[in-house]
Amino acid sequence: MGGKKTAKAAGKAPVEKRASAKKAAPVRKTAAVKKATVAPKKAAAPVKKASATKTVAAKSPRNESRTALVRRARRINRELAEVFPYAHPELDFENPFQLIVATVLSAQTTDLRVNQTTPALFARYPTPEDLAAANPEEVEEILRPTGFFRAKTKSVIGLSKALVENFGGEVPGRLEDLVTLPGVGRKTAFVVLGNAFGRPGVTVDTHFMRLVRRWQWTDETDPDKIEAAVTALFPKSDWTDLSHHVIWHGRRICHARKPACGACPITPLCPAYGEGETDPEKAKKLLKYEKGGFPGQRLNPPQAYLDAGGKAAPPLGATE
């Protein structure tokens, strides 16, 4: 009899476990449904695909065909072109020399800080010849706000000397020539080629690398390999504008630490949806620059940007 009682008692525990497991299941289900309903109602078919849990959404692109990947990547670019029709390089410049110097200075700092610093630099040294002959200590003092000012001074003076000695004081318009200049790598070269010479190129900066990996366009981590993988997805004519669209989206919406998923226009196409804030109202508060009602990074932005509601950045020393 004692044995029977023990058996009964022993049989109770699994029953309770199963009951509690049954109760827990609807909670997980509810959480998944709640998460899915946040996604914007855009393009019925993709929304259905993205409305499952985050795990399911992330699985699909991994298994997508090459053709599907190309279509999804190009559609993301088209969507971003509608959101940022005025996207442009966010460094102020009036000629190729100013652009290449500003791009070199933008390492390890913001475009805004560079834009606030270069007016004084170019007012004093307007040409490669002027900067090549400059006193390094005076240049360092001007460049101090950009950080790493000694190394940057060395780079821009060396860059200017190379332009004078090897290219007649003119910025060359070929990739193979640009990368021979001090402080100029492929990223800087493509910024100059695309925006000063109208020659297509992809700018693989930190924002670009982060987003194309989030979108599962590539698993590569090396900038040159990322460049090769992404350029293979798009016609050459799209490369420069694609760079602007992706970088703008990364700066304004798809941030590194807390993406504003609930305010993102491409959620049905994004396998990383849900990594950031999905609540639309909370996500809106994460938006930066003109999307959040704040000035952009250029002191002298294009008119199209101003017409779209963007604001010019304040000069150095002004209240930001």
Side-chain angles (χ1 to χ4, degrees):
M1 197 162 172
K4 281 183 187 175
K5 197 170 183 183
T6 308
K8 270 187 185 175
K12 262 186 182 177
V15 173
E16 285 171 1
K17 266 189 183 174
R18 283 195 298 273
S20 64
K22 271 185 184 176
K23 280 180 187 173
V27 176
R28 286 196 299 270
K29 198 173 179 184
T30 306
V33 172
K34 191 175 179 184
K35 197 171 191 180
T37 53
V38 179
K41 293 177 183 175
K42 197 174 186 184
V47 169
K48 272 185 185 175
K49 201 173 184 182
S51 65
T53 61
K54 184 182 157 193
T55 311
V56 174
K59 233 184 231 177
S60 177
R62 292 291 181 193
N63 298 328
E64 70 186 344
S65 66
R66 175 73 182 176
T67 301
L69 170 60
V70 169
R71 286 176 178 166
R72 183 168 64 87
R74 294 185 183 186
R75 186 173 168 197
I76 285 175
N77 187 39
R78 288 196 302 272
E79 295 284 340
L80 294 181
E82 289 184 18
V83 178
F84 305 112
Y86 43 78
H88 55 268
E90 292 192 271
L91 290 167
D92 282 322
F93 70 99
E94 293 177 0
N95 54 55
F97 173 62
Q98 290 188 1
L99 179 58
I100 197 169
V101 169
T103 307
V104 169
L105 295 178
S106 68
Q108 305 298 316
T109 190
T110 62
D111 286 356
L112 170 59
R113 184 60 69 199
V114 174
N115 291 336
Q116 291 173 326
T117 305
T118 50
L121 180 70
F122 295 137
R124 187 152 188 177
Y125 311 106
T127 68
E129 289 81 2
D130 295 322
L131 193 50
N135 180 334
E137 289 181 3
E138 292 177 1
V139 177
E140 284 178 6
E141 200 52 42
I142 295 173
L143 300 185
R144 188 179 291 272
T146 67
F148 303 97
F149 58 91
R150 289 190 181 90
K152 290 180 180 180
T153 294
K154 188 176 178 182
S155 288
V156 297
I157 289 179
L159 162 71
S160 301
K161 285 180 178 177
L163 289 176
V164 173
E165 293 168 7
N166 303 329
F167 300 101
E170 298 291 330
V171 176
R174 299 193 314 161
L175 176 65
E176 54 267 40
D177 292 332
L178 286 168
V179 294
T180 66
L181 300 170
V184 177
R186 288 179 71 86
K187 184 191 89 168
T188 298
F190 281 129
V191 170
V192 174
L193 288 173
N195 299 290
F197 293 100
R199 293 172 187 169
V202 165
T203 305
V204 183
D205 73 350
T206 53
H207 300 289
F208 194 94
M209 287 193 285
R210 180 177 75 252
L211 266 61
V212 299
R213 285 174 56 78
R214 271 184 181 163
W215 295 335
Q216 295 181 16
W217 289 3
T218 179
D219 288 328
E220 300 292 350
T221 55
D222 176 76
D224 291 350
K225 290 180 179 178
I226 289 174
E227 178 198 322
V230 173
T231 53
L233 300 175
F234 294 88
K236 197 171 182 178
S237 57
D238 287 354
W239 292 354
T240 300
D241 285 340
L242 168 71
S243 300
H244 294 324
H245 299 152
V246 175
I247 292 169
W248 274 56
H249 189 60
R251 283 177 169 166
R252 286 152 175 77
I253 298 174
C254 195
H255 311 133
R257 292 185 185 173
K258 202 168 185 183
C261 293
C264 179
I266 59 165
T267 52
L269 302 166
C270 180
Y273 172 75
E275 283 187 12
E277 180 57 66
T278 56
D279 180 85
E281 291 307 311
K282 291 179 181 177
K284 274 183 191 175
K285 294 176 183 176
L286 299 174
L287 300 181
K288 294 182 180 179
Y289 306 114
E290 81 286 355
K291 294 298 175 188
F294 303 109
Q297 302 208 51
R298 288 186 69 161
L299 277 65
N300 299 298
Q303 189 59 45
Y305 177 71
L306 299 173
D307 292 343
K311 300 174 186 175
L316 193 64
T319 304
E320 295 176 26

